[in-house]
Amino acid sequence: MAASSARSGLTGRSMTEPATIYAAVEVRDLTRTFGARKALDRVSFDLPTGAFLSVFGPNGAGKTTLVKVLTTLTAPSKGTARVSGFDVVADAVELRSRIGLISHNPLLYPDLSAEENLAFFADMYGVADAGTRVRELLVAVELDHRRLDLVRTFSRGMLQRLSIARALLHGPEVLFLDEPYSGLDPHAVEILDSLIEQIRANHTFVMISHDLNKGLALCSHALILAKGKVVLSAPRTEIDENQFAATYRATVGMGVA
Amino acid sequence: MASEARGLGVRQFKAILRKDIVMELRTKEMITSMGIYALLTMVIYQVALSQSGTAFDPRNIAAGLLWLAFVFTSMLGLNRSLVHEKDQGCLEALLLSPVDRPVIFFSKAVGNLVFLLIVQVLTIPVFAFLFLQEGSYAGEWWMIPLALLAGSVGISGVGTLLATMSVNTKGKDFVLAVLFVPLMYPLLLAAVSATSAAVLGGDGSVQQFWTGMGMMAGFDAIMLLASFALYEFIVGA
């Protein structure tokens, strides 16, 4: 892996930048309804800056809705949520420049090259010296040699690496990972692990995962959602793995929200 | 601060427009499908009118036929312009960025306008060949492009808004058509009137042309302002 400079290739922020002191994510009684169905039901939790939260839960538990609300893509029906100190509704535009999303969907244009995709999103985020930053990130995710190739020709693993570069372009403070390991081969998983490890110290993470082992291995905090409600929320140090797995298994039988 | 935000807005507008044009030049999906559809529609008109006899002058309905073709053609293209964004979750990525929603609206609308104008430039000569015999065009030459531009601005603006509304629905083609045609009705009347005046000429044609243009300008202004105001709500819904 390349890239580690005064402005780190992956983080895009100065290594001497002081750490912020507010909670990175503050969620209070967050509720999101779709018709009569409550996708999120009075969800509350705090996440300190620099933490890594793994969110578990069966399909339909409300995990993706939680990420959509925290990334401003969906407005909450009730309650409040602040990310990096910004309210997800009132300060949505400011907040968007401080967060990044890596999803199982690459969120990239298949008919643009890797470089064109990153340059486009650099313009969207108003990244200064975009050309240099794009090149820096392409080197960091080991795609510099494919920078002129159309994204539709990329493998799943390459797409995910480019997706990471896209999410890191503007130096976000909080990164949301929506099942980022989904569909990756073992080599791509290793590369993704390595990339997350490199940026871990400079970011707060919220990751949705179905993989208990992977999620617990990475996290500093864990949360289980079921039927839109928080079933368990605790720092990793307070979690007994067997008990946690039993709780998780019990939620799978609870059905959707 | 305000000028910085304006500068970023202009940069974002150019980036979205450039991206749409580059992708279209690469895939040629929209222009090809819209162009072929418009040409086929005109051929069908020609067949339909082939037995109308010598007493019938196709110039009388030429403007209506022309705008019918462009309305159907634009519906085809408008849906595709948003489907591109929907693929691979790109619309989500766009909405995640700190871009004011009206910037997305204007850049997509201008992109759709450019593609529609290109299709018009390609199909107008065929239309003239099929329906306007040599020397039968009676108006001033500049009237037609002006009427096409005014009508196309309205089609692109309203169409972009409605395509964004319908892109997440199940039967998006149907939903777009059901919303688009009634909303475009006043614009179509004005566009057909102005274009007819251009084609037929004669006494009072200049006044008829400018009345139609005035109505189209009013429609464009109202609909663009409404789209500007509603877009944030629509993409967030």
Side-chain angles (χ1 to χ4, degrees), chain B residues 17-35:
Chain B
L17 186 58
R18 187 171 53 236
K19 181 261 299 171
D20 282 350
I21 290 173
V22 166
M23 280 172 55
E24 182 53 32
L25 289 176
R26 222 160 258 172
T27 63
K28 297 178 184 66
E29 273 182 24
M30 262 174 80
I31 290 179
T32 308
S33 56
M34 286 168 74

Side-chain angles (χ1 to χ4, degrees), chain B residues 37-49 126 130-131:
Chain B
Y37 189 85
L39 290 174
L40 288 176
T41 309
M42 286 174 191
V43 170
I44 291 167
Y45 290 158
Q46 217 263 339
V47 172
L49 295 173
V126 178
L130 291 175
F131 297 103

Side-chain angles (χ1 to χ4, degrees), chain A residues 68 71 73 93 96-97 101 105-113 116 120-127 130 150, chain B residues 8 11-12 15-16 18-19 22-23 26-27 84-85 88-90 92-101:
Chain A
K68 285 198 167 186
T71 53
L73 290 173
V93 176
R96 287 181 193 125
S97 62
L101 172 67
N105 222 347
L107 315 184
L108 296 162
Y109 292 95
D111 292 311
L112 295 183
S113 70
E116 286 168 340
F120 170 72
F121 285 107
D123 284 335
M124 287 296 103
Y125 283 92
V127 173
L150 293 187
Chain B
L8 178 60
R11 184 175 168 187
Q12 291 165 331
I16 297 172
R18 187 171 53 236
K19 181 261 299 171
V22 166
M23 280 172 55
R26 222 160 258 172
T27 63
H84 270 310
E85 295 293 349
Q88 315 283 328
C90 295
E92 204 164 84
L94 200 57
L95 297 177
L96 263 174
S97 64
V99 54
D100 283 330
R101 286 12 186 174

